[in-house]
Amino acid sequence: MVSENKKVMLTGGGTVGHVMLNKLLIPEFQKQNIEPHYIGSKKGIEKDIISELDIPYHEISSGKLRRYLSFENLKDIFKVLKGVTDAKKILKHEQPLFVFSKGGFVSVPVVLAAAAKDVPVYIHESDLTPGLANRIASKFATKVFCTFEATAEQFTDAKAEYLGPVIRPDLQEGNKDEGYALTGFNSDKPVVIVMGGSLGAKKINDFVHEHIDVLTEKYQLIHLTGKGNIKKRIQKAGYKQFEFAGDELADLLAISDIVLSRSGSNAIFELLLAKKPMILIPLGLDQSRGDQIQNAKHFKKEGYAEVLKEEDLNLENLQEKLEFIEENYSDITSKMKQFKHGFNPAELADKLIGEASV
């Protein structure tokens, strides 16, 4: 039974992964006549994504969480404190049933403000190792939901629960005929889909473009380049470029045999549930805190994927990984079929409402 208060407050930002689950939850709350609001930064990617939806977006001051010593850390303390004040005012005015945080540095002031206002806080951690923002915020959370079972053990000072991945059922319902129509491909050669993330991955993109002639001898390539990265001069049979894929991703996956991808948690679990064997090229420590490396190692250990370090990306190594997956395809997909965990967005929305209503 939902209380008289029919609003929820969502937060998270800095990367697409910190926003997409919130985006999936928004229509589920709306179906239950609950009004979703969003707290984010003034210029972050979360604002761009959420502005596409017809919901209130509240801007707050936010700093950046750094793991290294910097004078900027001192300056950002004041930005975070200002963000807490901003968030307190918003929460006082809107009186949400609860706050749901997906992480990222902008979420920390929101969680601190909610704790100060006795508003229940639910956090979702999708990576194997928790991010710094969620480590801090978890100390003030009502509960932390985890995508990986092992992650729950790392939140020693918070009530953590293994949830499994939140899935999009539509990605498992693609139409092969539509996929072939979108690409002009056929069933004569295996299809490899290359996914570099929402903004693309320059090294992966450059590698594909450099070796396209060799790769298309044996495979048909779907290349999701990221915004602004399409090479219009490259027009080749068996090769199709898209900046990104929205609703059509399900149809493209339906005709794909193998996926070459980064190893963000949300993406690779969607591929697991779609039963698509993967070659994962995680972001290195020079570009991230190492979460994608850990995610990729876990998927390799479970037998769902092969892993290729970005610095080891060359034609010989990639062909070796592709051949291994082809030779072991049945075994890999059999292991994938055994994975039965996961929530769809509607189930998670129901769970959050139920938790907050107790």
Side-chain angles (χ1 to χ4, degrees):
M1 181 80 179
V2 179
S3 72
E4 291 182 3
N5 196 323
K6 301 263 181 141
K7 295 178 183 177
V8 297
M9 192 65 67
L10 308 173
T11 188
T15 68
V16 173
H18 288 144
V19 188
M20 289 310 295
L21 176 54
N22 285 332
K23 185 178 180 180
L24 293 174
L25 285 171
I26 284 167
E28 302 304 331
F29 290 130
Q30 291 172 327
K31 288 174 186 176
Q32 300 197 40
N33 295 318
I34 295 176
E35 181 183 351
H37 287 234
Y38 207 99
I39 297 181
S41 63
K42 298 175 182 179
K43 296 180 180 179
I45 194 169
E46 65 272 18
K47 185 174 182 179
D48 294 335
I49 295 172
I50 300 302
S51 64
E52 299 172 0
L53 309 174
D54 187 23
I55 71 166
Y57 183 89
H58 307 274
E59 299 178 356
I60 66 168
S61 172
S62 63
K64 181 178 180 180
L65 297 172
R66 301 174 182 85
R67 294 171 178 267
Y68 53 88
L69 293 175
S70 169
F71 178 70
E72 295 298 317
N73 288 339
L74 181 60
K75 291 166 58 177
D76 282 352
I77 289 174
F78 296 99
K79 292 181 182 178
V80 172
L81 292 175
K82 175 65 163 55
V84 173
T85 301
D86 294 341
K88 281 182 179 179
K89 291 177 181 177
I90 295 164
L91 295 175
K92 181 178 180 180
H93 184 265
E94 302 299 343
Q95 293 291 303
L97 181 65
F98 60 85
V99 166
F100 180 72
S101 170
K102 193 61 190 71
F105 55 84
V106 73
S107 69
V108 175
V110 183
V111 171
L112 295 176
K117 291 289 184 182
D118 291 324
V119 177
V121 174
Y122 302 99
I123 292 174
H124 186 270
E125 175 54 68
S126 56
D127 288 314
L128 184 61
T129 56
L132 180 57
N134 276 351
R135 284 188 183 277
I136 295 171
S138 68
K139 303 177 189 300
F140 306 91
T142 307
K143 185 174 283 190
V144 180
F145 296 109
C146 303
T147 295
F148 290 92
E149 189 168 10
T151 311
E153 301 168 5
Q154 300 183 49
F155 290 104
T156 56
D157 52 1
K159 187 176 181 182
E161 178 181 332
Y162 168 54
L163 185 69
V166 180
I167 60 176
R168 289 192 288 167
D170 60 297
L171 288 186
Q172 301 172 60
E173 300 168 357
N175 184 301
K176 284 192 173 185
D177 290 337
E178 291 292 332
Y180 286 130
L182 283 166
T183 57
F185 293 175
N186 54 50
S187 58
D188 294 344
K189 290 182 180 179
V191 176
V192 176
I193 183 169
V194 181
M195 307 168 65
S198 58
L199 299 177
K202 187 179 188 307
K203 186 163 184 178
I204 296 174
N205 287 346
D206 290 345
F207 173 84
V208 171
H209 291 143
E210 181 181 352
H211 299 286
I212 191 168
D213 290 337
V214 175
L215 292 172
T216 52
E217 287 177 5
K218 186 175 181 180
Y219 305 99
Q220 298 171 105
L221 298 181
I222 300 171
H223 188 183
L224 306 185
T225 66
K227 188 174 181 180
N229 295 324
I230 281 183
K231 300 290 186 185
K232 293 183 179 180
R233 60 179 172 78
I234 300 179
Q235 301 289 332
K236 187 173 181 63
Y239 176 73
K240 184 69 175 179
Q241 301 177 81
F242 301 88
E243 283 194 335
F244 58 91
D247 294 339
E248 65 270 33
L249 179 58
D251 299 327
L252 297 177
L253 283 175
I255 65 171
S256 298
D257 299 288
I258 301 172
V259 183
L260 181 65
S261 173
R262 290 298 195 193
S263 50
S265 174
N266 296 327
I268 61 177
F269 270 107
E270 287 175 343
L271 296 172
L272 167 59
L273 292 160
K275 302 173 186 64
K276 299 297 175 180
M278 305 159 232
I279 299 173
L280 300 177
I281 306 176
L283 284 170
L285 292 173
D286 59 328
Q287 305 172 73
S288 72
R289 63 181 177 84
D291 49 302
Q292 289 201 10
I293 295 172
Q294 296 300 319
N295 294 345
K297 284 182 178 178
H298 180 81
F299 266 50
K300 164 72 174 175
K301 179 182 176 182
E302 295 297 321
Y304 308 143
E306 286 296 294
V307 180
L308 191 56
K309 293 179 181 179
E310 190 170 84
E311 58 266 32
D312 295 332
L313 177 58
N314 59 49
L315 191 57
E316 182 181 355
N317 288 341
L318 179 61
Q319 288 176 320
E320 181 182 313
K321 299 294 185 184
L322 287 167
E323 289 170 6
F324 178 87
I325 288 179
E326 288 185 276
E327 292 169 1
N328 296 275
Y329 203 88
S330 178
D331 183 49
I332 296 169
T333 54
S334 177
K335 290 175 180 176
M336 289 178 151
K337 290 174 184 176
Q338 294 173 31
F339 185 85
K340 302 295 185 183
H341 302 283
F343 272 57
N344 64 44
E347 290 173 325
L348 180 56
D350 286 342
K351 184 174 181 63
L352 291 169
I353 293 167
E355 291 269 354
S357 301
V358 172

